[in-house]
Amino acid sequence: FEDVSFAYRPGLPVVLKGISLDIKSQEKIGICGRTGAGKSTIMSALYRLNELSDGKIFIDGVDIGQIGLYDLRKKLSIIPQDPVLFRGTIRKNLDPFQEHPDELLWKSLVSGGAISAEEVEVVKGQKPDSIGSLSSMHKFHLDQKVEEEGANFSLGERQLLALTRALVRQSKILILDEATSSVDYETDNKIQSRIAAAFGDCTILCIAHRLKTILTYDRILVLEQGEIEEFDTPRSLYEKKDGIFRQMCIKSGINESDFE
Ligand code: ATP
Ligand code: MG
């Protein structure tokens, strides 16, 4: 990011204010900061929801403002705070343009944690019952029904599917916007450990509401009112007297031992 400023629409206030940062290939970056600090907006800027009011973003040396939106977005995988599913089936949600064989979709459901490795063979063989009801089938069976906006799935389940979709797409850049509150600690932990296992060779930006989830990340970016307040390894930020990250850690009951 080179001096990036971003507003959602012309006339609206600038939300990111001259952000410059350099993220290395395969680096895992945790992003934190107060509500409204501009964390999710980093994602909007990368996705080019609107053009930058100033500055440039480069991926592998390519100015993303100079390439087509389709080419850009194809290369990014995004798991938003509140993922939307479309009406149809799990299969259609994982692979809307039918570009991949079922085998890859099943495999991704397993590596994403939606279906366990032990049960997947049984799940594959499941069929609707005699009156055509799908309720006897696994929740994440490829033929399982998804209602409008994924209404029959919980927020945690929708994030799990968005994660699976990212696995199917095999992109090298993953941006994860942790659900604010509704996902329980266990689901959150499960999603995080799946990510660590499945996206080891990818660059990850994780917007975290639970600091614990990003303590193992390479570096932490702390945003405050659209500006970079701190950007360093979790450990050095924790050791920084009067640092924002340190204060946030103390408030969430994180101490020395959590860094070991
Ligand atoms: P949270 O922790 O609550 O998710 P955040 O750090 O992700 O907060 P952003 O969503 O990036 O915060 O919002 C930063 C600023 O941009 C806020 O002032 C917000 O009101 C504004 N904003 C966010 N989304 C839009 C939008 N679609 N249109 C206009 N303004 C927006
Ligand atoms: Mg947000």
Side-chain angles (χ1 to χ4, degrees):
F1 285 61
E2 250 181 42
D3 214 19
V4 168
S5 294
F6 179 92
Y8 277 92
R9 276 192 303 279
L12 283 182
V14 175
V15 180
L16 295 179
K17 301 165 188 159
I19 300 250
S20 295
L21 41 99
D22 193 4
I23 295 169
K24 298 184 196 72
S25 168
Q26 304 193 1
E27 216 179 352
K28 315 287 180 276
I29 304 288
I31 304 177
C32 57
R34 266 186 264 269
T35 234
K39 304 180 297 295
S40 302
T41 306
I42 295 252
M43 187 186 275
S44 313
L46 260 173
Y47 220 56
R48 281 177 59 200
L49 279 193
N50 191 13
E51 298 306 332
L52 302 180
S53 12
D54 211 348
K56 286 195 171 111
I57 301 175
F58 298 91
I59 298 177
D60 291 344
V62 175
D63 177 353
I64 66 165
Q66 300 297 318
I67 61 177
L69 280 185
Y70 175 83
D71 290 328
L72 169 67
R73 292 177 181 173
K74 198 171 66 174
K75 299 288 180 192
L76 306 171
S77 270
I78 288 193
I79 304 179
Q81 265 175 317
D82 188 5
V84 174
L85 305 180
F86 4 91
R87 194 156 69 110
T89 58
I90 296 276
R91 182 185 287 98
K92 188 174 159 207
N93 272 278
L94 292 182
D95 182 22
F97 304 109
Q98 289 152 31
E99 297 165 305
H100 305 287
D102 275 8
E103 224 20 69
L104 175 68
L105 306 185
W106 286 118
K107 208 176 121 217
S108 307
L109 280 164
V110 173
S111 46
I115 300 179
S116 75
E118 294 78 47
E119 60 180 341
V120 65
E121 286 309 320
V122 176
V123 175
K124 281 183 191 171
Q126 290 173 341
K127 299 261 180 311
D129 68 18
S130 52
I131 52 168
S133 162
L134 304 179
S135 59
S136 56
M137 286 157 53
H138 192 282
K139 181 101 204 187
F140 295 105
H141 190 289
L142 287 182
D143 294 325
Q144 195 56 263
K145 187 175 159 198
V146 179
E147 286 169 17
E148 197 68 60
E149 296 191 351
N152 54 333
F153 287 84
S154 74
L155 181 58
E157 289 169 340
R158 278 186 279 137
Q159 282 215 321
L160 214 52
L161 272 181
L163 173 70
T164 310
R165 188 151 61 195
L167 285 166
V168 171
R169 290 158 50 99
Q170 299 170 321
S171 4
K172 285 294 189 192
I173 300 181
L174 176 72
I175 307 143
L176 169 77
D177 204 345
E178 209 180 55
T180 321
S181 57
S182 344
V183 178
D184 62 275
Y185 188 70
E186 202 186 317
T187 307
D188 194 52
N189 243 346
K190 193 159 137 189
I191 292 181
Q192 281 296 334
S193 55
R194 291 298 170 173
I195 287 171
F199 292 93
D201 61 346
C202 298
T203 307
I204 302 181
L205 308 185
C206 173
I207 300 166
H209 293 273
R210 288 192 184 79
L211 289 182
K212 265 211 164 105
T213 48
I214 51 173
L215 293 185
T216 56
Y217 276 55
D218 296 319
R219 286 193 289 167
I220 308 276
L221 173 70
V222 183
L223 285 179
E224 176 84 23
Q225 297 189 7
E227 292 180 86
I228 298 179
E229 276 297 319
E230 299 178 337
F231 189 33
D232 208 338
T233 63
R235 198 153 195 121
S236 358
L237 289 184
Y238 182 73
E239 282 162 5
K240 198 171 130 198
K241 215 169 152 278
D242 301 328
I244 300 187
F245 181 71
R246 182 183 171 81
Q247 286 166 21
M248 290 168 70
C249 285
I250 292 168
K251 268 192 208 145
S252 355
I254 289 167
N255 57 43
E256 202 70 38
S257 65
D258 290 303
F259 289 86
E260 274 143 25

